[in-house]
Amino acid sequence: MSRPETSDTAPGAAAGTAPEIRVEGLHKSFGANEVLRGIDLEIGRGEVVCVIGPSGSGKSTLLRCVNLLEEPDRGRVFVGSTELTDPDVDIDAARRRIGMVFQQFNLFPHLTVTANLTLPQRRVLGRSRAEAAKVAADNLARVGLAEKADAYPAALSGGQQQRVAIARALAMGPEVMLFDEPTSALDPELVGDVLAVMRMLARDGMTMIVVTHEMSFAREVADRVVFMDGGVVVEDGAPADVIGAPRHERTRNFLSRLLDPALAGLPGETPEEAGDAAGG
């Protein structure tokens, strides 16, 4: 799949359409550490936005504030026309519209793959056992794991467990998917299968925010790339612009260390560590 890398429109929702996700003036601190310092972001329906930046820049906190796993100190978050930060909102109902996939797979080790997918459907959505099993089977097939329905997580590779986690999120029928470094805990040879599933979701029109260090994925799949550093959005634009021709020195420093390990200075340095060095 290939998405256009340039655009004549400004970043955000397409002209004349309401954004699927809107973040306004988002602030979040943990004690004296101000992690988000006034984030404004709009994401259109069906848009794929990759968020990149050094560790500690606020990327994961931004995702967790979008579905209110972390409560912002200030600012507003909308999914469609629903304001999640409204004190009177039914937050459980609102969260059902948002699927989230974490770095770790968070599967129940004592349950089969099918049971991991059916349990939240039955408890949260009230689906019958038969309906939940049908939805589980459909989504396991969607991520290429139909044959693993009766397996336990310990019998699966890390990449397979992450695909099960994606299938579990999809089984809840979300309108938006959030991915927080979904491949960072995987061995390199297992990354491709997970990214292939995410490419499929993008092709199918799923609205996605993806925190990632996978620059090839961002170049190929993202409609936009957002570079964060120090709790603010430094650059926001088409992949060809932000990754290929960044305007800001902070972005150039981060990408140079991420894309050229020889510049990282330490043998075996991870992308996250390289990001820390680039971010100052």
Side-chain angles (χ1 to χ4, degrees), residues 3 82 94-95 98-99 113 167 179-180 185 209 233 250 252 264 271 278:
R3 285 174 171 255
T82 302
R95 280 200 186 113
I98 307 170
V113 165
F179 293 88
D180 187 7
I209 307 179
V233 172
R250 289 154 78 182
R252 291 194 290 269

Side-chain angles (χ1 to χ4, degrees), residues 34-73:
E34 190 176 16
V35 178
L36 299 179
R37 300 191 290 129
I39 300 292
D40 295 299
L41 191 64
E42 288 190 355
I43 298 171
R45 179 168 298 178
E47 195 173 19
V48 178
V49 173
C50 285
V51 183
I52 65 173
S55 294
S57 60
K59 307 182 301 295
S60 294
T61 300
L62 171 62
L63 282 195
R64 294 175 68 87
C65 284
V66 167
N67 65 359
L68 259 62
L69 288 177
E70 296 288 352
E71 186 173 348
D73 298 327

Side-chain angles (χ1 to χ4, degrees), residues 183-270:
T183 61
S184 66
L186 302 179
D187 292 333
E189 65 271 20
L190 303 178
V191 168
D193 288 341
V194 173
L195 294 182
V197 170
M198 296 170 65
R199 288 186 179 94
M200 175 269 294
L201 294 178
R203 185 176 62 245
D204 291 348
M206 177 66 73
T207 305
M208 299 162 59
I209 307 179
V210 184
V211 170
T212 186
H213 280 95
E214 300 287 346
M215 293 300 106
S216 61
F217 175 85
R219 282 182 181 274
E220 176 188 353
V221 178
D223 296 293
R224 285 162 48 215
V225 173
V226 171
F227 173 67
M228 289 182 63
D229 192 16
V232 300
V233 172
V234 178
E235 293 201 44
D236 179 353
D241 297 330
V242 176
I243 298 176
R247 292 176 292 122
H248 294 271
E249 185 67 23
R250 289 154 78 182
T251 317
R252 291 194 290 269
N253 286 343
F254 170 77
L255 289 170
S256 67
R257 300 180 73 88
L258 184 66
L259 299 174
D260 187 353
L263 297 177
L266 294 174
E269 187 174 48
T270 67

Side-chain angles (χ1 to χ4, degrees), residues 102-123:
F102 300 88
Q103 297 178 32
Q104 302 301 325
F105 323 122
N106 299 325
L107 301 177
F108 293 112
H110 63 292
L111 298 179
T112 66
V113 165
T114 294
N116 267 281
L117 268 66
T118 56
L119 181 64
Q121 294 182 64
R122 295 173 62 198
R123 289 192 175 178

Side-chain angles (χ1 to χ4, degrees), residues 139-152:
N139 281 286
L140 285 174
R142 194 175 181 189
V143 302
L145 290 174
E147 76 284 359
K148 299 297 184 180
D150 297 324
Y152 287 85

